[in-house]
Amino acid sequence: MKNQSLLLRLGGVFRFVGIPTDKGGHFVAGAIIALGFGAFFGPCIGLAAAVAAGACKEWRDSTGRGHVEFLDFLATAAGGAVAFGGMALWA
């Protein structure tokens, strides 16, 4: 537990509803990316950045540096989508 990243720790809150910590970390990362880019460039760019980040992460994993999982990509995109929804409603 000492060496867990902040994203995995934040993602751990989803454990209580049956979502694995790893997927929760991807969700949180997607939301943070979407909010960060969305704040400066608009909600659509934020969503696109989160989806692109998820795809790039899984591509990186496919080069032997990790384990490729489509659900990781979906969790990252879902975090971006929730952030996009919040930003779209806010605007």
Side-chain angles (χ1 to χ4, degrees):
M1 184 91 138
K2 282 188 210 175
N3 296 326
Q4 279 190 344
S5 72
L6 177 62
L7 288 176
L8 282 178
R9 288 183 187 201
L10 290 172
V13 300
F14 293 101
R15 225 179 9 196
F16 300 108
V17 292
I19 297 173
T21 300
D22 175 52
K23 304 302 179 270
H26 280 274
F27 183 89
V28 169
I32 290 171
I33 291 166
L35 288 171
F37 278 86
F40 291 101
F41 304 110
C44 290
I45 299 298
L47 175 60
V51 170
C56 288
K57 169 66 170 71
E58 293 312 306
W59 172 79
R60 181 185 179 275
D61 288 348
S62 74
T63 64
R65 298 180 192 157
H67 181 70
V68 178
E69 276 192 67
F70 184 67
L71 290 178
D72 286 350
F73 167 74
L74 286 180
T76 306
V82 168
F84 168 80
M87 287 185 291
L89 288 175
W90 186 272

